[in-house]
Amino acid sequence: MPDYAYKTCAEMWHDRARELGAEKQYVNVYGIVKDATAVSKTRGSDSKMTLKIYDETTTTDAVVYGSADDLETVPSELSLTFFDQNPYELPRPADGDVIRIHRVQAQTFQGRPQFIAKTGSMMSYGHSKTAWCLFSGRDDSETPYAQSSVNLTPADLKRVQELRRYAKRATSMPFLNEFNGASGQSKQRRLCEIKQEEFFDLYCLILDAHFVEGTDGSYVMLVWDGTDAPPLPPSMTTSLSQQREEMRLDETDFELESALDKRQFYAHGFDFRGQDAVPENEINSTVPLIGSALPVFMHGAKLDMDEVPQPGEWVKIRNLNTQVVRGQLQGFVRRETAFIRNKQPLPAIMEAYRLRKQQNLVSSWGAPGHSTTITVTKHPNMRYSTIREMLMTKPPMRHKLRVIVRGFSPDIVEMCQLAKGSKKYEFGCRFRVIDGTDSVDVNLYGDEAAQFFHNVTPTDLSKPSTARERLTNMMAKLTVHESVEESAPWIDLCVMQYIVRSKKSSKRVFQVFSTSMIA
């Protein structure tokens, strides 16, 4: 077996070719893995994946990646790109694993450092161009758990153990902080921070994922990070980010937009049957009940089911794009988007979620200081629920929500009708309400409606009257959205859910109770 000499990451950085066209350097290296992407197709016949490596010789500060003229500034991590015609031959490591790589191609391309690992069989030699093996970062095993070469050379176990120990210490270093980028240049965002016209990175949990009915293989993932996506006016509908004009688009990009453009999506407690369906099981304790589930859409041409994140996985999504459809913020996967799998739950995210549950902070945007409610309930000490929690709870049950009214039906002139078998008028309407987690339609009628609109006497509203004017003003107060910053008010709403049965079916009904608008 050949005797391999190994470089540190810093030495590999210095050994790359300094000028375009210079002879390539081939180096052997050990490193600790960080941010390995899922395997994806190239524009050619290959598949690829990227990962970053670091060791004791890389800086502990997050440094912007250098250029050919800046050999001395070693970054905090080195990015390697793997290529192979067979996607199943590429490595699939987790953060903190130790990787050993033979024959990494180190060079400079278009003034930038570049490290390439071309794996797969070489016809004339019968062995791989680049060979790799992976050692778990979570135990002290002496053998690799995955490798690209059958003829494995003995590993330097001392070096593997050194890097394992260093990886455990490195978790406290600045460059490993997901929300502390170099010089404020981090693209990392929380859901509550997303702007509509930017590409960003998102560290999140996949709550649910499935194909979208009525589309040509489009796929949607519901992703969560414990924060609430901002409430946007229902009149707001945007195209995909203006930055896409600076990107190279291909046919699949336009297919994606045409398949999903203007389509609004709500999770309804992750039940495909909709809000009227009665939950079959008790609440799934693994699904967080607070925090937005952002729909992230992906066209079938981008899909490789072996590589798409699955429900329950923590991932980092790079270069995600957004649009707004009738007030709903949506993520879109482009060709440039990458999924970094095998991530661990971030302690900061989980601690923030624990505090929200402890404080019963079901809506960060509707919290004191963000808005003033214009309703009052008869149950001031009742615990708040989110709409997601309500939809996942079996009826009968009572809930108190903090929501925004998105719309109502029927029109105001039809909101008062003669009660059955009576000459007296009564209110009857339905509100579409949303919070940071979902949307639901709730009914308001009879005595509960009279209590809600307590300063309006039910009467015939088909003709102009003081009552119609008052009701019009009240509904305007509830529903007018002028801008993102001056959104419609958050309101407290008590809702009971119960089952209505017939000979053929059973459905769930949501009814407002014990709530009044403030005069």
Side-chain angles (χ1 to χ4, degrees), residues 4-215:
Y4 289 95
Y6 294 96
K7 301 286 187 180
T8 64
C9 288
E11 289 171 335
M12 187 168 85
W13 174 263
H14 292 305
D15 281 356
R16 72 185 192 273
R18 293 171 181 264
E19 297 178 4
L20 182 64
E23 184 179 352
K24 301 178 179 68
Q25 307 293 320
Y26 289 91
V27 298
N28 309 311
V29 66
Y30 276 96
I32 304 164
V33 175
K34 177 176 181 261
D35 284 0
T37 67
V39 174
S40 62
K41 300 290 186 183
T42 66
R43 293 182 182 270
S45 59
D46 288 348
S47 293
K48 71 172 184 177
M49 63 85 63
T50 65
L51 58 81
K52 297 175 182 177
I53 61 171
Y54 64 94
D55 64 12
E56 307 94 332
T57 66
T58 52
T59 177
T60 57
D61 296 321
V63 175
V64 177
Y65 215 59
S67 67
D69 299 323
D70 187 15
L71 287 174
E72 300 308 317
T73 305
V74 180
S76 54
E77 60 227 353
L78 274 59
S79 182
L80 280 70
T81 304
F82 284 77
F83 294 94
D84 200 308
Q85 288 194 332
N86 183 351
Y88 300 103
E89 294 298 324
L90 291 167
R92 289 164 172 79
D95 280 11
D97 286 348
V98 176
I99 190 168
R100 190 191 70 186
I101 317 172
H102 289 166
R103 296 179 295 278
V104 176
Q105 184 174 302
Q107 63 187 48
T108 297
F109 180 71
Q110 293 183 347
R112 301 279 289 173
Q114 189 179 68
F115 302 100
I116 302 295
K118 294 183 177 180
T119 63
S121 298
M122 293 179 65
M123 296 294 290
S124 57
Y125 298 100
H127 60 79
S128 63
K129 306 169 187 176
T130 299
W132 55 266
C133 57
L134 286 169
F135 298 86
S136 173
R138 297 180 176 85
D139 57 46
D140 295 325
S141 58
E142 297 183 356
T143 57
Y145 69 84
Q147 61 196 59
S148 64
S149 175
V150 176
N151 298 317
L152 179 66
T153 58
D156 184 347
L157 295 178
K158 180 181 178 182
R159 182 62 180 147
V160 172
Q161 296 292 11
E162 287 175 350
L163 289 174
R164 280 173 171 158
R165 289 191 293 269
Y166 185 73
K168 292 177 181 178
R169 296 200 308 273
T171 55
S172 62
M173 293 179 182
F175 78 93
L176 283 181
N177 184 340
E178 293 288 346
F179 300 101
N180 185 24
S183 304
Q185 297 182 10
S186 174
K187 293 168 60 179
Q188 195 78 21
R189 299 287 183 270
R190 305 294 294 271
L191 290 183
C192 61
E193 301 168 339
I194 295 173
K195 299 176 182 177
Q196 281 70 61
E197 296 183 355
E198 70 171 353
F199 286 89
F200 58 93
D201 300 341
L202 188 67
Y203 199 115
C204 56
L205 171 67
I206 308 294
L207 295 180
D208 193 28
H210 57 267
F211 285 98
V212 182
E213 292 184 6
T215 64

Side-chain angles (χ1 to χ4, degrees), residues 269-286:
F270 312 129
D271 194 324
F272 293 112
R273 300 172 298 169
Q275 70 170 54
D276 295 340
V278 179
E280 297 175 354
N281 304 305
E282 298 298 329
I283 287 181
N284 183 349
S285 60
T286 64

Side-chain angles (χ1 to χ4, degrees), residues 360-492:
N360 196 211
L361 186 59
V362 294
S363 171
S364 59
W365 300 100
H370 281 274
S371 65
T372 302
T373 184
I374 57 172
T375 62
V376 62
T377 74
K378 291 183 179 180
H379 305 281
N381 298 321
M382 188 176 179
R383 170 186 168 272
Y384 285 100
S385 301
T386 61
I387 293 177
R388 181 185 302 141
E389 180 179 359
M390 182 173 74
L391 292 173
M392 295 177 67
T393 303
K394 278 188 173 183
M397 187 63 69
R398 295 186 171 211
H399 308 269
K400 184 178 176 182
L401 309 177
R402 177 153 282 193
V403 295
I404 286 176
V405 179
R406 272 288 193 246
F408 62 93
S409 64
D411 291 338
I412 288 176
V413 295
E414 298 177 351
M415 282 178 61
C416 278
Q417 300 292 334
L418 286 172
K420 190 174 182 180
S422 170
K423 294 183 178 181
K424 293 181 61 178
Y425 281 86
E426 66 177 8
F427 291 110
C429 62
R430 172 173 282 197
F431 288 170
R432 167 70 55 85
V433 298
I434 69 163
D435 66 5
T437 66
D438 214 325
S439 167
V440 69
D441 294 333
V442 297
N443 299 317
L444 183 60
Y445 58 87
D447 292 341
E448 297 296 350
Q451 178 180 324
F452 189 88
F453 301 115
H454 58 88
N455 64 339
V456 180
T457 302
T459 186
D460 182 4
L461 299 175
S462 60
K463 298 178 181 179
S465 63
T466 302
R468 194 169 89 176
E469 183 180 357
R470 284 181 179 176
L471 192 60
T472 300
N473 291 337
M474 293 174 81
M475 296 310 299
K477 247 186 170 184
L478 285 172
T479 59
V480 169
H481 296 64
E482 297 179 353
S483 67
V484 178
E485 294 77 18
E486 298 173 2
S487 187
W490 290 83
I491 64 170
D492 289 346

Side-chain angles (χ1 to χ4, degrees), residues 492-507:
D492 289 346
L493 206 64
C494 288
V495 177
M496 67 176 76
Q497 60 163 318
Y498 52 92
I499 301 174
V500 174
R501 292 184 171 88
S502 66
K503 291 182 179 179
K504 294 184 178 179
S505 64
S506 299
K507 72 173 186 177

